[in-house]
Amino acid sequence: MASAAEQLAANINFSAFAKAEELKKRIWFTLGALIVYRLGTYVPLPGINPDELARAFQANQSGILGMFNMFAGGAVGRMAIFALGIMPYISASIIIQLMTSVVPSLEQLKKEGEAGRKKINQYTRYGTVILATFQAYGIAVGLEGAGSIVMDPGIFFRFSTVVTLVGGTMFLMWLGEQITARGVGNGISLIIFSGIVAELPSAIVGTLELGRQGALSTPIILAILALSVAVIAIIVFIERAQRRLLIQYPKRQVGNKMMEGQSSHLPLKLNTSGVIPPIFASSLLLIPATVANFSSQNGPEWLITVTSLLGRGAPLFMILYASLIVFFAFFYTAIVFDPADTADNLKKHGGFIPGIRPGERTAQYIDYVLTRITVIGAIYLVAVCLLPEFLISATGVPFYFGGTSLLIVVSVTMDTVSQIQGHLLAHQYEGLVKKAKLRGRRR
């Protein structure tokens, strides 16, 4: 019976998908935009010696530069026009959101609705240009100081590199916004997702090759694969976990009828912040390490020290990464969920939590519950992102295949699938409304 019901639901979903022309257009647009992004990761910067670049990257890919390359979809290793990726935009978003909580004028803009949101987005774009310019210039200087990677160093190479990399980042920012508006899913997350997925097959093949050569034993490879499967299962379980608060609505009279009291639930996700904290933490850690890995051999002593401290498995890297994840877990949860507004909305509609006085006491109770589950969510994020890092650093696997990548891949996949299901439900609802209108006209 259960299998027959599942088969029937699958047939209904397939037939609904076959008729959902708008959803098909959105999916094709998303795929086309991601293909354009992937093609851009293979277009190299002008004036680069690819052989020397490959040697320099091979010597430094085991550190945080490998993580940067993963988020950029391999564009760093090829020094493509999208080498900066979308990280400057994410860093600018972090800075603007932090300033929104501190600067009164920005806080007022946030309360002005759509017009204020557009103004804040404009400031974010300005910040993206500034950050991308500094990072691009640092990359240009670092490339010039890293041996014979640059064929013709000088002011023209620096200028062309800055213009190309900043233009690539701005194009990716625009492409992500177009995917969000005209495609399916969050455009920025999907760009990062596609970059990670594109690099995972080569990482797996590299690991199997190390096993064939005897550099890694078969039990270690099997343990890494088993760990990946376990991490995926934990991510799916936690991302779907909720803490439901019982909401009671009293009896009310509508006309001459007395409506019975109803009860519902206020769902609070265990991980309200989602995949944002690891992405934010990674983007901030990548800013000082952009140039360090390229010029660590010929650079000053303090730069060499920073490079060693920010290497994979280094204590400072682990501490900073965990601290930033915890901070952004609480920070982003406070941005996306306001207990005071939720309590006010419940009070306006006559809802209340049994045993809790409506209004301020309800807001305090919701904040208390939300803080407790955010602690669990932050611990989960730190464990998923850092536990594989400890194990990988101990086994010496020479590529970034940690929990952060799996967390992003699984979370973005779940979010995109849920949005597709939402479009399917909306299409089915529109079909039912049209049928009801036609029947009404016939009668």
Side-chain angles (χ1 to χ4, degrees):
M1 290 295 291
S3 60
E6 292 176 358
Q7 185 66 32
L8 179 61
N11 292 335
I12 293 175
N13 289 333
F14 181 79
S15 62
F17 178 78
K19 297 177 182 179
E21 296 296 331
E22 178 67 21
L23 177 59
K24 288 182 183 178
K25 292 179 181 178
R26 286 179 172 271
I27 292 177
W28 282 115
F29 180 84
T30 303
L31 292 176
L34 293 179
I35 289 174
V36 170
Y37 160 66
R38 290 302 305 156
L39 290 176
T41 60
Y42 287 90
V43 180
L45 288 174
I48 297 293
N49 187 334
D51 296 331
E52 292 295 329
L53 175 66
R55 293 192 193 97
F57 184 78
Q58 190 71 24
N60 294 282
Q61 68 172 346
S62 61
I64 198 170
L65 189 63
M67 183 194 294
F68 197 2
N69 189 52
M70 181 202 68
F71 283 123
V76 176
R78 294 181 287 270
M79 199 45 65
I81 58 175
F82 292 158
L84 283 181
I86 203 68
M87 287 304 171
Y89 175 73
I90 296 176
S91 302
S93 301
I94 298 170
I95 295 171
I96 294 298
Q97 288 181 3
L98 288 171
M99 291 178 63
T100 302
S101 304
V102 178
V103 181
S105 58
L106 290 177
E107 188 175 2
Q108 184 63 31
L109 279 177
K110 185 180 178 181
K111 298 178 181 178
E112 291 180 2
E114 185 66 19
R117 187 181 65 83
K118 290 182 178 179
K119 199 71 175 177
I120 291 176
N121 288 341
Q122 188 176 1
Y123 292 152
T124 304
R125 294 188 182 98
Y126 293 154
T128 302
V129 173
I130 295 173
L131 286 176
T133 300
F134 278 110
Q135 287 185 270
Y137 185 78
I139 286 179
V141 174
L143 288 173
E144 288 183 342
S148 56
I149 293 178
V150 180
M151 291 184 289
D152 188 16
I155 188 65
F156 180 75
F157 171 77
R158 297 183 184 182
F159 176 77
S160 62
T161 300
V162 169
V163 172
T164 304
L165 292 179
V166 173
T169 295
M170 299 308 293
F171 177 79
L172 287 183
M173 182 185 68
W174 174 83
L175 192 66
E177 292 175 350
Q178 294 301 310
I179 293 174
T180 303
R182 302 171 58 186
V184 178
N186 183 282
I188 303 299
S189 299
L190 281 174
I191 287 176
I192 299 175
F193 164 84
S194 62
I196 295 173
V197 171
E199 290 300 301
L200 284 182
S202 61
I204 295 174
V205 170
T207 304
L208 296 178
E209 180 65 20
L210 289 175
R212 188 184 68 84
Q213 296 174 358
L216 285 177
S217 63
T218 302
I220 291 179
I221 296 177
L222 294 177
I224 292 176
L225 294 177
L227 176 65
S228 301
V229 174
V231 169
I232 291 174
I234 293 172
I235 291 171
V236 173
F237 177 77
I238 297 295
E239 292 298 325
R240 293 183 177 274
Q242 294 179 346
R243 169 72 161 90
R244 296 185 175 183
L245 299 180
L246 179 63
I247 305 297
Q248 192 73 36
Y249 292 93
K251 294 181 179 180
R252 55 195 179 97
Q253 186 170 356
V254 180
N256 295 326
K257 293 184 178 180
M258 180 64 71
M259 304 295 292
E260 292 292 332
Q262 297 178 345
S263 61
S264 64
H265 294 89
L266 175 64
L268 300 177
K269 287 190 65 176
L270 195 62
N271 180 28
T272 308
S273 57
V275 74
I276 297 298
I279 295 178
F280 278 12
S282 301
S283 65
L284 287 184
L285 284 176
L286 290 174
I287 291 176
T290 302
V291 187
N293 283 277
F294 279 107
S295 56
S296 59
Q297 295 178 353
N298 301 323
E301 186 176 352
W302 66 268
L303 194 57
I304 299 176
T305 304
V306 169
T307 305
S308 61
L309 291 177
L310 289 178
R312 177 178 301 146
L316 180 61
F317 171 75
M318 296 293 188
I319 293 172
L320 286 177
Y321 197 27
S323 302
L324 288 173
I325 288 175
V326 173
F327 170 75
F328 283 118
F330 282 92
F331 175 73
Y332 197 75
T333 300
I335 290 177
V336 300
F337 192 93
D338 189 353
D341 289 344
T342 304
D344 289 340
N345 291 331
L346 288 176
K347 188 176 182 180
K348 290 177 183 177
H349 293 86
F352 64 94
I353 300 176
I356 307 296
R357 184 180 302 172
E360 186 178 352
R361 291 287 297 171
T362 299
Q364 292 176 356
Y365 178 74
I366 295 176
D367 182 66
Y368 169 73
V369 175
L370 188 64
T371 301
R372 293 175 65 189
I373 63 175
T374 303
V375 170
I376 300 176
I379 294 174
Y380 144 75
L381 288 174
V382 171
V384 167
C385 294
L386 290 190
L387 180 60
E389 288 296 320
F390 284 114
L391 297 179
I392 291 171
S393 62
T395 56
V397 179
F399 62 87
Y400 185 78
F401 192 65
T404 306
S405 57
L406 293 179
L407 177 65
I408 294 173
V409 169
V410 175
S411 299
V412 173
T413 302
M414 292 172 61
D415 179 64
T416 305
V417 170
S418 65
Q419 289 201 27
I420 292 176
Q421 291 176 346
H423 283 289
L424 286 175
L425 290 175
H427 175 74
Q428 291 177 340
Y429 179 75
E430 290 176 359
L432 292 174
V433 170
K434 289 179 181 179
K435 289 181 182 179
K437 288 182 178 179
L438 288 174
R439 291 175 182 174
R441 290 176 182 176
R442 290 174 183 175
R443 292 178 181 174

